[in-house]
Amino acid sequence: MTGTATPVHAGLAAMLLLCSPAWASPFAYITNQGSHDVSVIDLASQQVVATVPVGRSPAGVVASSRAGRAFVSNPDSKTISVIDMRQQKVVNTLPAGDGPVGIDISADGRRLYVADWYSSRLLVLDAQAAGAAKPLASIAVGRAPAGVAAHPGGAAVFVAERDDDSVAVVDTAAQRVLARVRVGSHPFALFYDAPRSRLYALNVQSNDVSVVDMRDIVRPAVIATVKVGKAPYGAALAEGGALLYVTNQHEDSVSVIDAASLKLLRTLPGFAYPEGIAAHGDRVYVVNWMDDNVQVLDAASGQKLKTIATGQNSRGFGAFIGAPMEP
């Protein structure tokens, strides 16, 4: 989620995009809550190359390189918009409960996992459905589920249960909650660090990040709590996984954490209600809700390199960078 993110696939996609000639130039899919559309940024040219109308108040997003599609949650329309990465247009709309928010996808691009905020459910959808197919499964989770992160092995999905101050580990085969772990106050976004088998839960009320050891998904355990700015919202790993970037909504800042030592290195000022964040190559992309733009940072230093105008009230909640496979 994502997460921005989400989550697992931001890191996996970045590695694939950097090392394999079979992947096309990547795109960033930025959800714009106010203008009800998605700004598509070509990362090669650093420009918006398309604006795609979607459902009402789009929030969550996951760009699946394997599926060749970007999936966008529209809470007010109660749907998921499916964007074809080659055509840059919506090719399908899926029903998604009462209020879809966080979203992630399985590593093979076949199963879509969606947090239904108002119904306290994790929905499982067919990512390759040709029409408006109903969910394949609806799994009860805790109150106000927000961020979602799919384990790359496919056995589990992690769900932030915001109003319960916990994270649920959902068994995808048994379609039930396998385990829970208490984190900080009101976890919203989740980001999975696959090489370290760690899950980062961003707690918007306690203003910190819970670091959860997920080597044994049956017995998840918080191993550290890292203080950041006010209302942390999105996370991304950069510099080959060495740095963890976290956006702080209510502080207009971005925290940079050493991912090995879990020490806060610096806090970058000068953003405008930053929400989504993702990394690709030597760049970090920060989505600003108030200023309707994406700021491009140098991953090593955090220096601002460029500002890209987007739609109204940009969010980008999830793993918003991906590229279609070459045919």
Side-chain angles (χ1 to χ4, degrees), residues 8-9 12 16 23 64-67 104-111 113 150-154:
V8 173
H9 303 285
L12 295 178
L16 289 167
W23 300 81
S64 171
S65 299
R66 184 64 62 187
D104 202 8
I105 194 167
S106 59
D108 61 8
R110 293 180 177 275
R111 293 290 180 264
Y113 303 104
H151 189 283

Side-chain angles (χ1 to χ4, degrees), residues 1-2 6-9 102-107 111-115 121-125 137 139-141 145-161 166-181 190 192 199 214 217 220:
M1 10 252 304
T2 5
T6 156
V8 173
H9 303 285
I103 186 170
D104 202 8
I105 194 167
S106 59
R111 293 290 180 264
L112 197 65
Y113 303 104
V114 181
R121 316 287 296 184
L122 176 70
L123 305 179
V124 183
L125 284 69
I139 304 165
V141 292
V148 178
H151 189 283
V157 176
F158 311 118
V159 181
E161 300 170 319
S166 60
V167 172
V169 180
V170 176
D171 184 322
T172 55
Q175 297 183 2
R176 65 178 181 87
V177 173
L178 184 66
R180 279 192 170 90
V181 58
L190 299 177
Y192 188 71
L199 184 73
M214 285 292 183
I217 59 174

Side-chain angles (χ1 to χ4, degrees), residues 118-139:
Y118 294 113
S119 296
S120 299
R121 316 287 296 184
L122 176 70
L123 305 179
V124 183
L125 284 69
D126 181 355
Q128 300 179 339
K134 295 182 179 180
L136 301 173
S138 177
I139 304 165

Side-chain angles (χ1 to χ4, degrees), residues 246-326:
V246 175
T247 56
N248 304 307
Q249 273 183 328
H250 297 170
E251 197 172 274
D252 298 337
S253 68
V254 172
S255 299
V256 184
I257 299 164
D258 183 296
S261 67
L262 296 175
K263 301 296 185 183
L264 179 65
L265 298 177
R266 55 188 173 271
T267 301
L268 308 175
F271 300 89
Y273 209 79
E275 294 205 347
I277 186 169
H280 176 75
D282 60 356
R283 299 288 184 266
V284 174
Y285 298 84
V286 180
V287 184
N288 290 288
W289 191 89
M290 289 295 292
D291 280 357
D292 304 335
N293 65 32
V294 170
Q295 288 179 307
V296 185
L297 313 181
D298 175 77
S301 66
Q303 179 183 356
K304 295 176 184 177
L305 303 176
K306 186 180 178 66
T307 299
I308 304 170
T310 52
Q312 296 175 15
N313 304 133
S314 302
R315 302 198 67 178
F317 178 51
F320 57 72
I321 293 177
M325 292 184 66
E326 294 288 0

